[in-house]
Amino acid sequence: MNGRDLVRSVKLVGSKRGLRTVRSAWRRARADARAFPARGAERARVPGPVTGAEPGPGGGVVRFARSELRIRVAVGGAVFWGWDGAEPGPSYALSGEAPAADPRAVLEPGTDGGWQVVAERLTVAVSRHGAVELRTPGGVVLRRELPPRWWEPVAGGDARWVQRSEVPADARFFGLGGRAAGPRLRDGSYALWNTDPGGRFGPGDDPLYLTMPVQLVVSDAGTHLVFYDNSWAGRVVLREGKEGAGSGHDRPGASEVRVEGGPLRCWAVAGTPARVLAGWSALTGAAAVPPSWALGPQHARWGFGTERAVRGIVAGYRERGLPLSVLHLDIDHYAAHRVFTVDRERFPGLPGLAKELRECDVRLVSIVDPAVAAVAGNEVYDSGRAVGPSGAFVRDARGREVRGEVWPGECVYPDFTDPEVREWWGGLYEERLAQGFSGVWHDMNEPVSFAAFGDPSLPRSARHALEGRGGDHREAHNVYGLAMARAGYEGLARLRPDERPFLFSRSGWAGMQRYGGTWSGDVATGWPGLRASLALVLGLGLCGVPYSGPDVGGFDGSPSPELYLRWFQLGAYLPLFRTHAAIDAGRREPWEFGPEVLAGAREALVGRERLRPYWVTLARLAALTGAPYVRPLWWSSPGDRELRDCEDAFLLGDALLVAPVLEPGVVRRGVLLPPGRWYDTVSGAVYEGPGRVVVEAPLSRVPVLARAGSVIPVRGADGGLELEVWAPVKGCAGGGTVVRDAGDGWDPVEAERYTSRLEGGRVVVERDGGGGAVGCPVRVRGV
């Protein structure tokens, strides 16, 4: 640390807190140095030559001179392999026990002294030196995992490893969690360590709050997803391939995954993008379905200040005829920033306020941070110390509570990898429900300890329960937010068993969709931040997290009226539609930016509410099929190379194509169309894809195109369900799925399938399996 670090720390959070931050960072560094002596000499190891094999359920074990490889094809088509005895469990990513083995898959001799397992959708071929190839049923190579390498300390300790892989030269990489530079991941290095970037981030910042070792790879050969099931700190280096010109050789794409310890095990799913995400969802769990009100417009600001200010915001929406479903309270409503408390001076009647707003169809959502003020007399701290034999909080290698500096001051951190702690923490949400809150948002749960220098997290030597196995923060860090989300979700479900919980979390890991969604975190205000917002949502959807969205307007600065409106318009077509800003970043209410912006924002809000039945349907389909609400343009045409490279437009479900404006001064923009006929939903103009067209994009709206033949559930003028049908092409049937809103509970739902066709110059719409009767008004467009 140098003097400049100290000055920056003190300037950032105030002199007293800044000095405490320096002390906390020194404590962390000292604890890690004591717990982790220098690794010393290391011994490198590779599998060596094959020595034999033992068939087993769904595959078997291939033995090498210095390692062994277990392969198992699961029912449903997912493939698992693990080195050095690694098994599918225990795993934080899986929704339960690992899926059963497919008895039809058999380990058998392959070519050139290797072995193979032939499954319905993949062939797994193992070379005699330990390379693993994933092949299509036709024999085309999707991915080649080279023999791995381990480095083991001679004096003993955790082995680190590297896994290098090759993919086809035309392949494109996606995934790795929330990446601001995505959704297509270019050549570069990507860290696997959930990190608070410190108040703002843009496309060049990495890592961010939510990293996952999940790669989705799209090439001419097919689409596949691989997941390295290891939560330790690591790094992924990607290099896109290059096709040789003329008779030149192709250079394959390359992936290198380096991890500091833990098992080397992997899952793979292959097929169409829809089939891949369905298989990933089956493996890691269905996405939680948000209550229908959480699909409406939401408003937040750090620093509302008082109940009066909150009422003023809601009144401002109502007076201007602007829909609003949810209002969020940030940490400023807590007493001294302490979680599960209320500042009684500024919010003297919070339950009454919540009741009053709910009568206006506006719900309150509360922020919840994991850091607990380490002060005797703080009820949460005192009750946590009484949990179990050693208390609820993370401890260091000497058995002392790990302390860090967060908003309430010196804090301790619940160990959410302990089931008993999760149950205790989930019970604390009763206080939030008693205050009238309808849901929660988890923040600062990477977890964060303010740092004057170095990594703003807990000491890597801190000890965790890890479901009774025991371990340190190197393994627990990346799953901390996931485990906290589980604690909150299960607690809310116990406390209000008749209502689906609403929860979203800044940090998490693979499988977090089981407990809710996420949001961008502190995206920087600016046009690059606007573009990063779309990249994050698309990338997270391809990792299995369908419900997410950005801080509309950016978190840290004051957007221009044009930037604010373009961000607002993008947000209106993303799953989580929420304005939010820092305490000193200005206001985010639409009327603060002038009459032209207000009119454009009203149009976006009304359009969002009109599509509410479609959002409800997309939420249910995400849970049923794993398909994200927001999809890249190549979703149904992964073989189209031009679509694979398009990052400035997206599909909303199967029916709509949204082309947001991501640059200043744009009033017309080019749109790359997938195959088929597309209608401009405002002008009715007709376009034929594939190809590129230029469409109008006035400041008042962004271009939205509808696929020919689509049947879209919308809210009619009377508020009831209506089907909007876009005329199909002659000789081509269309259709759509409708899932009706069954309320905010757990009642079963039915997916209704509708078809459309052109017959004798008129559009015919029928319901499959329902005798053909539609049962609600139908509005045909595009004729």
Side-chain angles (χ1 to χ4, degrees):
M1 176 184 173
N2 56 34
R4 186 164 42 192
D5 294 322
L6 176 60
V7 170
R8 183 170 61 244
S9 172
V10 171
K11 186 176 180 180
L12 178 65
V13 293
S15 59
K16 185 177 179 180
R17 174 168 289 166
L19 292 172
R20 290 202 306 262
T21 301
V22 173
R23 184 181 64 187
S24 175
W26 275 116
R27 279 202 307 251
R28 181 177 63 244
R30 188 167 61 248
D32 286 348
R34 186 185 302 116
F36 302 137
R39 290 178 66 91
E42 293 182 313
R43 183 184 297 111
R45 174 168 62 90
V46 295
V50 68
T51 60
E54 180 183 335
V61 176
V62 182
R63 293 190 173 87
F64 298 85
R66 290 176 290 278
S67 188
E68 68 176 32
L69 173 68
R70 178 177 299 278
I71 303 171
R72 187 167 86 181
V73 178
V75 172
V79 175
F80 169 84
W81 66 91
W83 289 92
D84 286 354
E87 298 280 356
S91 170
Y92 279 96
L94 303 189
S95 59
E97 296 295 325
D102 185 345
R104 299 172 298 174
V106 178
L107 181 67
E108 59 188 24
T111 59
D112 197 24
W115 294 81
Q116 68 179 17
V117 179
V118 180
E120 182 180 358
R121 299 174 190 170
L122 273 177
T123 294
V124 184
V126 182
S127 78
R128 66 176 186 270
H129 290 293
V132 177
E133 283 188 353
L134 302 180
R135 301 172 183 168
T136 68
V140 179
V141 176
L142 291 173
R143 188 182 192 93
R144 186 169 191 261
E145 302 264 304
L146 302 176
R149 183 180 293 267
W150 295 266
W151 285 270
E152 300 165 332
V154 173
D158 298 296
R160 55 192 179 93
W161 53 262
V162 61
Q163 175 67 72
R164 296 184 177 94
S165 311
E166 295 177 348
V167 296
D170 65 288
R172 295 291 182 258
F173 292 100
F174 302 87
L176 295 184
R179 304 288 170 170
R184 171 185 164 193
L185 301 176
R186 266 85 169 174
D187 296 1
S189 178
Y190 302 88
L192 297 173
W193 187 256
N194 295 344
T195 303
D196 176 9
R200 58 176 292 173
F201 70 86
D205 292 308
D206 185 89
L208 299 179
Y209 314 94
L210 205 167
T211 66
M212 295 185 202
V214 177
Q215 296 179 21
L216 189 131
V217 183
V218 187
S219 67
D220 289 352
T223 302
H224 72 275
L225 178 149
V226 293
F227 166 53
Y228 297 95
D229 193 354
N230 183 311
S231 62
W232 285 59
R235 184 165 294 275
V236 180
V237 178
L238 300 178
R239 186 195 69 193
E240 291 185 339
K242 185 176 181 180
E243 293 181 294
S247 60
H249 292 290
D250 288 352
R251 186 191 75 190
S255 162
E256 179 184 279
V257 180
R258 290 181 177 268
V259 177
E260 294 180 4
L264 173 45
R265 55 185 181 177
C266 190
W267 286 93
V269 186
T272 64
R275 181 167 282 183
V276 166
L277 267 295
W280 179 238
S281 175
L283 189 65
T284 60
V289 179
S292 59
W293 51 263
L295 297 169
Q298 306 185 35
H299 188 86
R301 191 173 76 238
W302 179 10
F304 280 132
T306 64
E307 286 185 15
R308 181 179 178 183
V310 170
R311 288 188 174 92
I313 296 297
V314 175
Y317 272 87
R318 292 175 64 81
E319 291 165 4
R320 294 168 177 84
L322 304 176
L324 179 66
S325 292
V326 185
L327 192 136
H328 299 245
L329 296 189
D330 211 317
I331 57 173
D332 50 290
H333 86 279
Y334 283 129
H337 293 157
R338 296 180 184 177
V339 69
F340 302 120
T341 65
V342 176
D343 186 326
R344 298 297 179 184
E345 291 187 6
R346 292 182 296 128
F347 290 86
L350 191 52
L353 173 66
K355 183 175 183 294
E356 175 186 326
L357 297 185
R358 188 155 186 165
E359 291 171 353
C360 302
D361 290 327
V362 177
R363 267 75 169 184
L364 277 183
V365 166
S366 170
I367 190 172
V368 173
D369 290 353
V372 175
V375 178
N378 176 9
E379 291 184 13
V380 178
Y381 178 59
D382 292 343
S383 67
R385 298 189 76 182
V387 173
S390 57
F393 305 113
V394 177
R395 294 181 176 269
D396 64 17
R398 293 184 171 186
R400 301 172 301 182
E401 292 175 349
V402 170
R403 300 200 173 193
E405 186 71 19
V406 200
W407 300 117
E410 190 172 54
C411 292
V412 292
Y413 301 83
D415 181 7
F416 296 115
T417 69
D418 185 332
E420 193 171 358
V421 174
R422 287 198 297 268
E423 185 174 1
W424 161 74
W425 184 264
L428 298 177
Y429 288 74
E430 185 173 13
E431 182 273 341
R432 295 286 84 188
L433 297 179
Q435 297 296 339
F437 290 106
S438 299
V440 296
W441 112 68
H442 287 173
D443 207 342
M444 307 292 287
N445 60 336
E446 288 70 37
V448 172
S449 173
F450 294 147
F453 57 93
D455 181 17
S457 66
L458 305 188
R460 298 197 178 198
S461 57
R463 303 297 300 172
H464 291 263
L466 290 167
E467 315 307 317
R469 294 180 288 112
D472 60 46
H473 198 64
R474 294 174 299 175
E475 181 180 359
H477 175 85
N478 282 335
V479 297
Y480 189 88
L482 171 71
M484 181 186 179
R486 178 180 178 181
Y489 184 89
E490 292 178 347
L492 290 170
R494 286 196 308 269
L495 293 166
R496 286 198 177 164
D498 296 332
E499 295 183 16
R500 299 195 305 275
F502 175 58
L503 183 151
F504 63 101
S505 171
R506 192 169 79 172
S507 184
W509 204 59
M512 68 175 296
Q513 73 276 359
R514 300 191 296 266
Y515 313 117
T518 184
W519 92 103
S520 67
D522 303 338
V523 61
T525 298
W527 293 94
L530 171 61
R531 186 175 289 272
S533 297
L534 177 57
L536 282 159
V537 174
L538 282 168
L540 287 163
L542 295 175
C543 290
V545 185
Y547 184 83
S548 68
D551 282 346
V552 167
F555 180 74
D556 68 318
S558 298
S560 68
E562 180 190 11
L563 173 59
Y564 173 82
L565 182 54
R566 291 309 195 188
W567 216 318
F568 202 89
Q569 291 163 339
L570 169 64
Y573 290 98
L574 299 180
L576 173 57
F577 178 24
R578 183 181 83 147
T579 59
H580 188 223
I583 194 167
D584 56 352
R587 301 174 70 92
R588 289 291 186 272
E589 293 77 47
W591 54 88
E592 297 290 339
F593 294 86
E596 187 176 15
V597 171
L598 176 59
R602 179 181 291 110
E603 185 172 339
L605 286 168
V606 170
R608 170 82 177 207
E609 287 300 277
R610 182 174 175 273
L611 287 174
R612 182 72 75 90
Y614 189 47
W615 286 107
V616 169
T617 295
L618 293 177
R620 291 290 185 174
L621 291 179
L624 292 170
T625 70
Y629 311 18
V630 170
R631 308 164 189 177
L633 292 189
W634 48 259
W635 179 257
S636 298
S637 306
D640 189 319
R641 296 189 178 187
E642 195 172 9
L643 290 178
R644 291 206 296 257
D645 292 341
C646 181
E647 299 176 294
D648 64 353
F650 60 91
L651 298 174
L652 182 59
D654 285 330
L656 298 177
L657 188 159
V658 182
V661 174
L662 305 176
E663 297 175 350
V666 172
V667 293
R668 303 179 79 228
R669 61 152 291 173
V671 178
L672 189 62
L673 296 179
R677 177 174 295 174
W678 297 86
Y679 299 94
D680 188 304
T681 56
V682 173
S683 69
V686 182
Y687 305 101
E688 298 292 339
R692 184 176 292 275
V693 298
V694 177
V695 298
E696 298 297 321
L699 185 61
S700 60
R701 64 179 179 87
V702 294
V704 179
L705 309 180
R707 191 190 300 269
S710 296
V711 179
I712 306 173
V714 299
R715 182 176 285 173
D718 62 353
L721 178 67
E722 180 178 291
L723 299 185
E724 183 173 85
V725 182
W726 289 89
V729 177
K730 185 176 181 180
C732 297
T737 302
V738 178
V739 181
R740 298 176 188 255
D741 190 352
D744 297 334
W746 304 93
D747 291 342
V749 295
E750 178 184 2
E752 304 170 7
R753 176 69 185 172
Y754 294 87
T755 59
S756 67
R757 67 181 186 276
L758 204 60
E759 189 175 281
R762 94 186 239 276
V763 175
V764 177
V765 181
E766 294 178 330
R767 178 181 174 185
D768 282 355
V774 173
C776 63
V778 175
R779 181 186 180 202
V780 176
R781 301 186 64 185
V783 177

